[in-house]
Amino acid sequence: MEALQNKKPWMKEPKYFQRVALSPSAITKMTMHCARGVKKGIAQGGNPIEVMGLLLGRPDPESPTSLIVTDAFPLPIEGFETRVIADDEDVVNHMINLTERLEHTRKEKFMGWYHSHPFDLGDHSHCFLSQTDLSTQLQWQRAEDPHGNPFVAIVLDPLRSTHLGSPQLKAFRAFPPEYSSPVPNQCPDGTVEHSEQ
């Protein structure tokens, strides 16, 4: 693991990671947190609330192009319409305290973040990165990737998850702005996006 973190192959190849594995505990915590945001927003007479949290994990030394998410930690952040941002001083202090506590008890590091897109039950999934989300992910990648800690974003669609009876989520990494894909509109997972969300 240390050799992989020192080598940092993801710094040279934006499409290095091919897979993200999530523990059942992490999925359960994320799903429950996102469902609470839906219930809270509706109970207050409005729309579901977008929520955010941090992911604990590591690159997989057995399968180096995979990331493993072992746990999830909700943050005291709420937002609406693709506007959940961790820039409040109390939230930043909460993140620092949480990181310091976990450094002494866990081998993994924070290696990602998750948030919900609880918009509606339309024809399409809401598991995508908004422009705000993309900027946030790029900031995390620029801060963490060079230190052997590749960062991932997960977006969960809690309304579709409830409707379908299974977690509806997607994992993302962002292309750095200086990367030019040879295929127009190609996403880091190799798919080509024909519509803009």
Side-chain angles (χ1 to χ4, degrees):
M1 165 92 109
E2 191 174 319
L4 179 63
Q5 289 175 315
N6 289 334
K7 190 174 179 186
K8 302 181 271 284
W10 50 85
M11 294 298 295
K12 293 181 182 132
E13 174 51 57
K15 294 193 255 182
Y16 179 78
F17 290 107
Q18 302 297 313
R19 184 172 169 267
V20 176
L22 296 107
S23 74
S25 173
I27 292 172
T28 300
K29 286 180 178 182
M30 287 188 295
T31 302
M32 290 174 62
H33 183 211
C34 294
R36 284 193 306 270
V38 169
K39 289 177 185 172
K40 182 177 181 179
I42 291 171
Q44 293 174 347
N47 293 321
I49 293 173
E50 210 174 310
V51 298
M52 179 181 166
L54 292 175
L55 302 169
L56 201 68
R58 58 184 163 69
D60 185 349
E62 304 296 319
S63 175
T65 59
S66 297
L67 293 171
I68 299 174
V69 175
T70 57
D71 211 342
F73 294 86
L75 290 174
I77 299 174
E78 297 176 347
F80 298 95
E81 296 295 322
T82 68
R83 286 302 211 188
V84 58
I85 304 172
D87 61 358
D88 178 83
E89 185 179 341
D90 291 336
V91 173
V92 172
N93 287 333
H94 177 83
M95 291 166 62
I96 291 169
N97 291 335
L98 185 57
T99 301
E100 289 172 351
R101 285 195 320 261
L102 290 172
E103 279 179 358
H104 302 293
T105 60
R106 304 290 284 266
K107 292 180 182 180
E108 301 98 346
K109 292 182 174 185
F110 283 117
M111 48 74 70
W113 64 295
Y114 72 90
H115 71 289
S116 61
H117 279 181
F119 304 141
D120 60 40
L121 270 177
D123 293 335
H124 304 286
S125 167
H126 293 290
C127 294
F128 63 89
L129 292 181
S130 68
Q131 281 303 118
T132 301
D133 300 337
L134 187 57
S135 294
T136 300
Q137 177 60 19
L138 280 169
Q139 287 176 354
W140 279 115
Q141 282 180 211
R142 289 195 188 279
E144 295 294 327
D145 283 15
H147 301 288
N149 191 35
F151 233 71
V152 66
I154 293 180
V155 180
L156 195 135
D157 184 338
L159 296 177
R160 186 172 289 279
S161 296
T162 300
H163 179 71
L164 296 176
S166 66
Q168 301 297 303
L169 49 86
K170 286 189 181 179
F172 299 91
R173 294 234 336 136
F175 285 144
E178 59 275 7
Y179 176 75
S180 180
S181 174
V183 179
N185 298 323
Q186 186 179 37
C187 300
D189 67 359
T191 61
V192 176
E193 185 60 45
H194 298 287
S195 66
E196 295 208 13
Q197 289 187 320

